[in-house]
Amino acid sequence: MGAAVDRRVDLHTHTNFSDGRLDPEELVEEAVWHGLSALALTDHDNVEGLERFQAACRQKGVEGVDGVELSCEHEGREVHIVGLFIKPSEAFCALLDSVKRERELRMEKMLSRLSEIGIEIPMEEVPQEAGRSFGRPHLARALVERGVVRNVGEAFARYLGDQGPAYVAKSRFAVRMGIDLVHEIGGISVLAHPGASGLVDRIPDFAALGVMAVEAPYPKHTPEEERKVRALCAQHGLLVSGGSDFHGNGDGRDLGQPPIGYAVLEALKERLAEVRKGT
Ligand code: AMP
Ligand code: ZN
Ligand code: FE
Ligand code: FE
């Protein structure tokens, strides 16, 4: 029993297929280094890293969970819906392809906003590998490289935050659609970081929209927020998930933190088995 009790999981991470720093292989190596038994890759609106992720997991003996983090919207606010154990269909991948193209256009718009206030950054300086998903963190890094700001946090505070002069909103799925999309591709839907999104009190709304789980352990959640999320989950028949939201950029979100026991994944897998049996 001892070993089983000690097993740890992290069900929310990013690679450089979206706005993380590491390759899928490097992410899995890091998971091994931290002694994690299971790991979910949940890149923003992108599933293209999953194949390499799974290959690396098999090689390193880590249990890999295929995931995604969809940018959604509810009553004008950004809501992130994570899908776990997903099996992306062709239609789903085509949809994400159009999101990716929109993110590229949005990046160009943010660069022209910066240009209007005298900060010239050419597209080539935005550190993203061709064909992957652009996000604001890429632009933040370009601003650091140029010496415009000292760090990523300052880039968001001064230019890229929701109220910042270079901010351009991205198109987002209605949260109901995000949840349905995850279910259509066989996944478990999870409301991501409700505390960080200011949505803890709205958990009953998301339960009504069909979400199956909510992240309770999360680096930016206060103990009080985590307790409240757990209580609401129990009240509304929702499962608990959680993770580090690791991006590999030294922003204080470290892989495997906060520690999450394997029992959390076990419960999600039991639910998945029920869903797939059609109960
Ligand atoms: P985007 O999807 O392009 O709008 O970028 C959103 C991502 O930017 C989030 O998932 C975070 O990883 C990152 N982010 C948002 N706000 C901040 C902030 N204040 N400091 C650092 N990273 C942030
Ligand atoms: Zn991110
Ligand atoms: Fe998120
Ligand atoms: Fe995330």
Side-chain angles (χ1 to χ4, degrees), residues 16-17 21 23 52 126-134 138:
N16 55 16
F17 277 81
R21 293 301 279 266
D23 286 329
R52 280 173 56 181
V126 182
Q128 179 56 312
E129 290 176 49
R132 298 190 184 176
S133 294
F134 280 107
H138 298 112

Side-chain angles (χ1 to χ4, degrees), residues 131-211:
R132 298 190 184 176
S133 294
F134 280 107
R136 282 181 284 165
H138 298 112
L139 184 47
R141 285 174 216 147
L143 286 164
V144 174
E145 280 299 304
R146 271 272 162 145
V148 178
V149 292
R150 275 161 302 183
N151 53 52
V152 166
E154 190 185 341
F156 273 90
R158 286 179 59 191
Y159 300 107
L160 306 178
D162 299 5
Q163 311 294 325
Y167 176 70
V168 175
K170 57 181 184 273
S171 69
R172 305 175 285 210
F173 299 117
V175 73
R176 177 66 188 258
M177 180 170 174
I179 292 168
D180 288 349
L181 280 170
V182 168
H183 297 169
E184 273 165 29
I185 55 172
I188 295 280
S189 56
V190 183
L191 174 65
H193 46 65
S197 305
L199 292 168
V200 174
D201 293 329
R202 311 299 295 273
I203 286 173
D205 298 358
F206 295 103
L209 288 170
V211 88

Side-chain angles (χ1 to χ4, degrees), residues 4 15 25 30 42 53-54 71 78 83 108 129 149 164 182-183 185 191 197-198 203 205 217 242 252 259 261 277:
T15 67
E25 293 79 12
E30 185 96 3
T42 57
F53 168 69
Q54 284 295 347
S71 303
E78 181 141 350
E108 284 166 4
E129 290 176 49
V149 292
V182 168
H183 297 169
I185 55 172
L191 174 65
S197 305
I203 286 173
D205 298 358
K277 266 197 315 213

Side-chain angles (χ1 to χ4, degrees), residues 45-76:
D45 306 317
N46 190 305
V47 294
E48 291 166 37
L50 292 178
E51 225 175 279
R52 280 173 56 181
F53 168 69
Q54 284 295 347
C57 283
R58 279 193 300 275
Q59 201 193 347
K60 298 286 177 183
V62 173
E63 182 176 348
V65 176
D66 282 341
V68 69
E69 181 173 20
L70 298 176
S71 303
C72 303
E73 175 178 272
H74 187 60
E75 295 173 357

Side-chain angles (χ1 to χ4, degrees), residues 149-276:
V149 292
R150 275 161 302 183
N151 53 52
V152 166
E154 190 185 341
F156 273 90
R158 286 179 59 191
Y159 300 107
L160 306 178
D162 299 5
Q163 311 294 325
Y167 176 70
V168 175
K170 57 181 184 273
S171 69
R172 305 175 285 210
F173 299 117
V175 73
R176 177 66 188 258
M177 180 170 174
I179 292 168
D180 288 349
L181 280 170
V182 168
H183 297 169
E184 273 165 29
I185 55 172
I188 295 280
S189 56
V190 183
L191 174 65
H193 46 65
S197 305
L199 292 168
V200 174
D201 293 329
R202 311 299 295 273
I203 286 173
D205 298 358
F206 295 103
L209 288 170
V211 88
M212 295 176 180
V214 183
E215 288 181 350
Y218 184 78
K220 288 181 193 157
H221 283 174
T222 63
E224 175 59 18
E225 278 171 336
E226 180 173 337
R227 193 196 57 75
K228 200 163 175 195
V229 172
R230 286 181 186 279
L232 285 166
C233 283
Q235 204 179 327
H236 293 273
L238 301 167
L239 290 163
V240 165
S241 185
S244 65
D245 208 357
F246 177 71
H247 283 68
N249 55 9
D251 60 1
R253 295 178 287 192
D254 295 321
L255 198 63
Q257 294 299 326
I260 298 171
Y262 194 86
V264 166
L265 178 59
E266 202 67 65
L268 292 165
K269 287 203 285 192
E270 273 169 30
R271 182 86 174 88
L272 182 73
E274 286 164 17
V275 172
R276 294 203 171 152

